[in-house]
Amino acid sequence: MDRAVVAVEKALENYGAPVYVRKQIVHNVHVVSTLEKRGAIFVEEIDEVPEGAHIVFSAHGVSPAVVQGAADRGLQAIDATCPLVTKVHREAVRFARDDFEILLIGHEGHEEVEGTAGEAPEHITLVGSPDAVADIEVKDPDKVVWLSQTTLSVDETMETVRRLREKFPNLQDPPSDDICYATQNRQVAIKKVAQGADLVIVVGSANSSNSVRLVEVALEYGAKAAYRVDYAHEVKQEWLDGVETVGVTSGASVPEVLVQELLDDLAAAGYGDIETVQTAEEDLVFSLPKELRRDTAGNRDARALGGRHSA
């Protein structure tokens, strides 16, 4: 998610405003608002973009039809798709080429699901929840594989897979886990936090799938109450009444400053004793999109190449 935001910032630096972005670059209202103030223009579809302009594809990915549509309009496309999403796209193409039926676990209408399904529409069936499995039919139960949206609840996804495998015993797994590591790490951590929390507050936007899942996971794993907010000032006083322990987490695309503002407000309200729960270290940085690895003078950007880094 950070990579996608940096891509828009870098495009604005290199080409000047406006730079167009198809859909929200990440699902966070603060990030989108901040980029809009710098000159980014967010559009729903590419036909809203003037011919020849620069267009950034969001972290959630796009279908081949969108890529072709941008080329047909002469747009200067910058692909900020998360590499983890790109991996799922490639898996869909490969399994479709081998004539597998692909059961895509995900939420209908989500940009990521639309992009992945667009890679092989004749081979993909969407599975929206564990309960949807009962209605799934396939042509050949010996040639079926599952893939998933990267921002889902790990537990719910595995329950969906379990039910699919009961129905289709020869169901194949993807070659590697599709759920985003940042999504998984936050869910693992909130499971530990929720056990001892009277209240869990998740910083994240309403259209952020992974933020919404964190609220659900917190409640499932023992939090007495859990709410999602975009900003600290949205916390209601009645949420804190009678509460001794507050758990705080955030969605994968939330700037750290928003979490810190919430912690500061909680400290002012008497919750100043902070214990950090860390279940994993996220040290992987992805390369910038190839279009942005050098500036207009040809100099390599310091953020161009990814890899592991230490905190």
Side-chain angles (χ1 to χ4, degrees), residues 6-36:
V6 171
V8 178
E9 294 172 342
K10 183 66 177 172
L12 288 165
E13 290 173 14
N14 284 4
Y15 311 119
V19 165
Y20 293 83
V21 184
R22 183 183 180 275
K23 308 290 186 180
Q24 293 188 0
I25 187 66
V26 295
H27 287 160
N28 184 264
V29 296
H30 177 80
V31 170
V32 170
S33 174
T34 300
L35 291 173
E36 283 178 331

Side-chain angles (χ1 to χ4, degrees), residues 16-272:
V19 165
Y20 293 83
V21 184
R22 183 183 180 275
K23 308 290 186 180
Q24 293 188 0
I25 187 66
V26 295
H27 287 160
N28 184 264
V29 296
H30 177 80
V31 170
V32 170
S33 174
T34 300
L35 291 173
E36 283 178 331
K37 291 173 184 176
R38 294 188 57 178
I41 297 177
F42 293 86
V43 298
E44 285 299 302
E45 297 299 343
I46 56 176
D47 59 9
E48 301 173 51
V49 182
E51 291 188 8
H54 288 90
I55 178 78
V56 180
F57 298 144
S58 80
H60 308 102
V62 296
S63 69
V66 172
V67 175
Q68 185 59 53
D72 292 344
R73 290 181 56 78
L75 303 181
Q76 306 299 307
I78 300 166
D79 188 359
T81 302
C82 172
L84 300 175
V85 175
T86 299
K87 177 184 75 69
V88 180
H89 282 217
R90 290 173 177 165
E91 291 169 352
V93 170
R94 179 165 68 83
F95 283 114
R97 185 176 60 239
D98 293 339
D99 203 29
F100 274 80
E101 289 186 68
I102 301 166
L103 303 181
L104 178 59
I105 302 171
H107 298 142
E108 185 174 4
H110 192 282
E111 292 107 284
E112 184 185 328
V113 167
E114 292 176 349
T116 301
E119 295 284 358
E122 296 85 8
H123 290 262
I124 288 179
T125 299
L126 184 63
V127 185
S129 69
D131 291 339
V133 171
D135 297 325
I136 300 297
E137 299 295 338
V138 300
K139 292 178 294 184
D140 184 353
D142 291 327
K143 292 204 72 173
V144 61
V145 64
W146 70 273
L147 301 176
S148 79
Q149 181 182 331
T150 64
T151 54
L152 300 178
S153 160
V154 176
D155 292 343
E156 183 174 338
T157 300
M158 290 301 99
E159 173 60 16
T160 303
V161 172
R162 185 188 68 79
R163 295 193 193 185
L164 285 171
R165 184 158 281 116
E166 283 184 351
K167 190 169 186 177
F168 310 114
N170 292 330
L171 177 73
Q172 291 199 26
D173 297 323
S176 60
D177 195 351
D178 285 348
I179 303 294
C180 165
Y181 67 85
T183 295
Q184 290 193 53
N185 292 345
R186 283 160 175 75
Q187 290 180 18
V188 170
I190 203 60
K191 288 176 183 179
K192 293 185 66 175
V193 170
Q195 295 171 12
D198 298 315
L199 167 68
V200 167
I201 301 175
V202 178
V203 184
S205 292
N207 63 339
S208 166
S209 177
N210 71 88
S211 297
V212 173
R213 299 290 84 71
L214 286 170
V215 174
E216 296 172 353
V217 172
L219 291 170
E220 182 179 353
Y221 278 81
K224 296 177 182 176
Y227 301 97
R228 180 205 53 79
V229 298
D230 275 297
Y231 297 99
H233 66 76
E234 296 172 0
V235 174
K236 298 178 180 179
Q237 178 57 49
E238 56 261 36
W239 296 353
L240 300 174
D241 291 345
V243 167
E244 293 186 6
T245 304
V246 181
V248 173
T249 187
S250 69
S253 58
V254 175
E256 185 64 28
V257 63
L258 299 184
V259 178
Q260 189 57 54
E261 287 175 359
L262 175 59
L263 293 176
D264 291 345
D265 280 10
L266 288 172
Y271 301 94

